[in-house]
């Protein structure tokens, strides 16, 4: 008999909304190296890949039942919640830049101002933000009309989601070190540093992934 689409909440007709629960990292699960909390960052370009890998991993482990014709739509459901997070972060970033200009603060105060605004908005950044996104992806999975059944427990579902996010979002230690060395003349904490750091990390990570692919 198929399990109800409630995961670890068998007594409910649907799981509680994310805002009503506290999502914590899985016990024993460790994110890979990250130089600073804000170095763990979600990028728009990799959202489709994250959504694809989440759905693929969940199906391969038979934690969910999704018809082949509904896979793309299910991926879009997960991607939508990540895009929403990015939109909210972009608004905070813009507010931080405006705050610097309005208060005539030095550029290296950007990261501090952004964190302060995020705290006021109760918006998680860095590793806390990734954990928040993982919880929202889990919620989107339960809310999706394109997921027929969910058989996995909450912990099993989160394990797959966390592993996919860790794979795509954490920065390789050597790449982090090389990028920071290349940007040593820019003020760390400034908008320019953050923007250039993220761009270079994405580029070097992409090159490393291409180099690791087998050639026939």
């Amino acid at each position: 008999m198929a399990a109800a689409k409630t995961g670890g909440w068998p007594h409910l007709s649907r799981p509680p909304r994310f805002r009503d629960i506290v999502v914590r990292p899985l016990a024993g699960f460790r994110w890979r190296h990250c130089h600073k909390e804000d170095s763990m960052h979600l990028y728009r370009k990799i959202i489709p890949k994250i959504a694809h890998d989440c759905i693929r991993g969940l199906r391969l482990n038979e934690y969910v039942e999704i018809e082949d014709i509904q896979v793309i739509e299910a991926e879009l459901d997960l991607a939508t919640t990540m895009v929403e997070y990015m939109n909210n972060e972009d608004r905070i970033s813009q507010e931080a830049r405006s705050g610097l200009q309005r208060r005539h603060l030095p550029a290296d105060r950007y990261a501090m101002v952004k964190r302060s605004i995020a705290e006021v908005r109760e918006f998680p950044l860095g590793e806390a933000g990734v954990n928040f996104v993982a919880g929202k992806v889990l919620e989107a999975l339960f809310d999706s009309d394109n997921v027929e059944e969910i058989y996995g427990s909450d912990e099993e579902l989160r394990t797959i989601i966390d592993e996919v996010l860790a794979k795509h979002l954490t920065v390789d230690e050597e790449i982090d070190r090389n990028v920071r060395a290349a940007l040593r003349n820019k003020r760390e904490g400034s908008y320019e540093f953050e923007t250039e750091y993220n761009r270079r990390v994405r580029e070097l990570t992409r090159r490393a992934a291409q180099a690791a692919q087998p050639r026939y």
Side-chain angles (χ1 to χ4, degrees):
M1 181 176 178
K5 189 178 172 182
T6 54
W9 296 285
H11 59 291
L12 300 178
S13 59
R14 67 173 307 283
R17 303 290 296 181
F18 179 77
R19 61 175 176 269
D20 299 325
I21 61 176
V22 177
V23 178
R24 299 181 177 86
L26 293 174
F29 184 83
R30 290 182 176 273
W31 297 100
R32 290 180 293 169
H33 171 80
C34 184
H35 187 277
K36 285 194 174 183
E37 182 180 355
D38 288 347
S39 295
M40 187 175 291
H41 191 74
L42 181 64
Y43 304 109
R44 290 183 185 274
K45 288 185 178 181
I46 62 174
I47 286 177
K49 182 63 175 174
I50 292 173
H52 172 79
D53 286 357
C54 282
I55 293 297
R56 181 175 181 273
L58 292 168
R59 294 183 80 202
L60 285 175
N61 285 276
E62 299 183 346
Y63 292 157
V64 299
E65 180 181 336
I66 303 174
E67 297 293 336
D68 290 342
I69 60 174
Q70 293 178 299
V71 167
I72 294 179
E73 292 299 324
E75 292 175 3
L76 288 174
D77 290 337
L78 302 193
T80 296
T81 195
M82 289 182 273
V83 170
E84 181 181 359
Y85 174 88
M86 289 298 305
N87 290 341
N88 290 332
E89 184 181 8
D90 286 347
R91 283 191 282 270
I92 289 176
S93 297
Q94 180 58 49
E95 189 173 346
R97 293 196 297 273
S98 298
L100 287 180
Q101 296 174 355
R102 187 169 57 253
R103 301 174 186 175
H104 304 289
L105 296 174
D108 59 2
R109 300 288 293 277
Y110 167 78
M112 183 193 71
V113 172
K114 180 179 178 180
R115 283 194 297 270
S116 297
I117 295 173
E119 289 176 2
V120 172
R121 302 283 187 272
E122 296 184 346
F123 184 82
L125 297 172
E127 185 172 339
V130 174
N131 187 46
F132 175 81
V133 168
K136 297 298 286 183
V137 169
L138 180 62
E139 181 185 351
L141 192 67
F142 282 107
D143 286 344
S144 175
D145 293 331
N146 298 294
V147 178
E148 294 296 321
E149 297 289 348
I150 294 180
Y151 303 110
S153 67
D154 305 337
E155 184 171 326
E156 289 170 332
L157 300 174
R158 271 298 298 263
T159 295
I160 297 297
I161 295 170
D162 285 345
E163 288 177 350
V164 171
L165 288 171
K167 170 187 173 183
H168 288 287
L169 302 188
T170 50
V171 179
D172 179 81
E173 185 173 358
E174 183 176 358
I175 290 177
D176 175 81
R177 183 170 58 249
N178 290 339
V179 171
R180 290 182 184 278
L183 299 178
R184 59 184 177 275
N185 293 327
K186 291 185 179 293
R187 290 185 176 182
E188 185 168 351
S190 66
Y191 174 72
E192 290 74 16
F193 179 94
E194 180 182 280
T195 302
E196 186 63 14
Y197 174 89
N198 291 337
R199 186 190 70 79
R200 294 195 182 207
V201 165
R202 287 198 303 270
E203 178 62 22
L204 291 178
T205 301
R206 182 185 64 81
R207 291 181 184 178
Q210 290 178 340
Q213 291 179 352
R215 297 182 179 181
Y216 301 99

